[in-house]
């Protein structure tokens, strides 16, 4: 029974990693790429976020909240970042160089491998 639980966990983590990678890649390949200004911070229901301000290809100015990365190097107020966003769903945003996004993907894949390994070891011990 433990084998099944570990395999289910491994599959779940793998699916989460693939979904995160697919969403990030979709924004990079199909989303709008703009240079954004870190205009400060805003309070959202999820806490404090960066306020990223940019001009759309149509010429309008937009301001989107973006969760403050854990390692916020290069995200200081007044700095410029490369931003990818979905014009139809502007809450879907990826800032190039945000290592916390890539770190989450790596953690999903590492957990999948660990759970798979533990499941195989448990199965071999029986």
């Amino acid at each position: 029974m433990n084998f099944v639980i570990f395999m289910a966990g491994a599959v779940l983590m793998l699916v989460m990693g693939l979904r995160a990678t697919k969403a990030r890649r979709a924004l990079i390949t199909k989303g709008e790429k703009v240079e954004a200004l870190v205009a400060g911070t805003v309070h959202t229901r999820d806490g404090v976020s960066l306020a990223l301000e940019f001009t759309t290809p149509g010429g309008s100015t937009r301001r989107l909240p973006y969760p403050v990365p854990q390692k916020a190097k290069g995200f200081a107020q007044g700095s410029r970042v490369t931003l990818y966003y979905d014009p139809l769903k502007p809450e879907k945003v990826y800032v190039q160089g945000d290592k916390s996004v890539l770190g989450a993907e790596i953690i999903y894949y590492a957990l999948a491998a660990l759970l798979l390994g533990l499941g195989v070891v448990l199965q071999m011990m029986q």
Side-chain angles (χ1 to χ4, degrees):
M1 185 64 175
N2 287 336
F3 175 75
V4 173
I5 293 170
F6 278 101
M7 290 304 104
V11 168
L12 178 63
M13 289 298 108
L14 182 61
V15 168
M16 295 296 290
L18 291 172
R19 285 184 65 198
T21 301
K22 182 181 176 186
R24 179 179 52 82
R25 287 187 176 163
L27 281 174
I28 291 172
T29 57
K30 298 176 185 171
E32 293 288 337
K33 178 182 178 183
V34 294
E35 291 298 312
L37 172 70
V38 179
T41 57
V42 293
H43 292 280
T44 64
R45 64 180 175 180
D46 299 325
V48 177
S49 295
L50 297 175
L52 301 179
E53 193 172 277
F54 60 95
T55 303
T56 66
S60 63
T61 300
R62 302 229 33 195
R63 192 175 192 147
L64 295 176
Y66 189 76
V68 177
Q70 292 246 345
K71 297 185 179 188
K73 291 182 181 177
F75 293 95
Q77 186 169 346
S79 64
R80 293 204 145 311
V81 295
T82 300
L83 169 74
Y84 298 90
Y85 74 100
D86 182 342
L88 301 176
K89 296 181 180 174
E91 68 277 1
K92 291 187 176 186
V93 177
Y94 169 67
V95 174
Q96 187 173 316
D98 182 356
K99 293 180 177 144
S100 63
V101 172
L102 301 175
E105 291 175 22
I106 291 168
I107 288 171
Y108 286 134
Y109 294 127
L111 285 173
L114 177 67
L115 291 169
L116 177 65
L118 287 171
V120 168
V121 167
L122 283 173
Q123 186 66 21
M124 290 175 24
M125 291 174 61
Q126 291 181 346

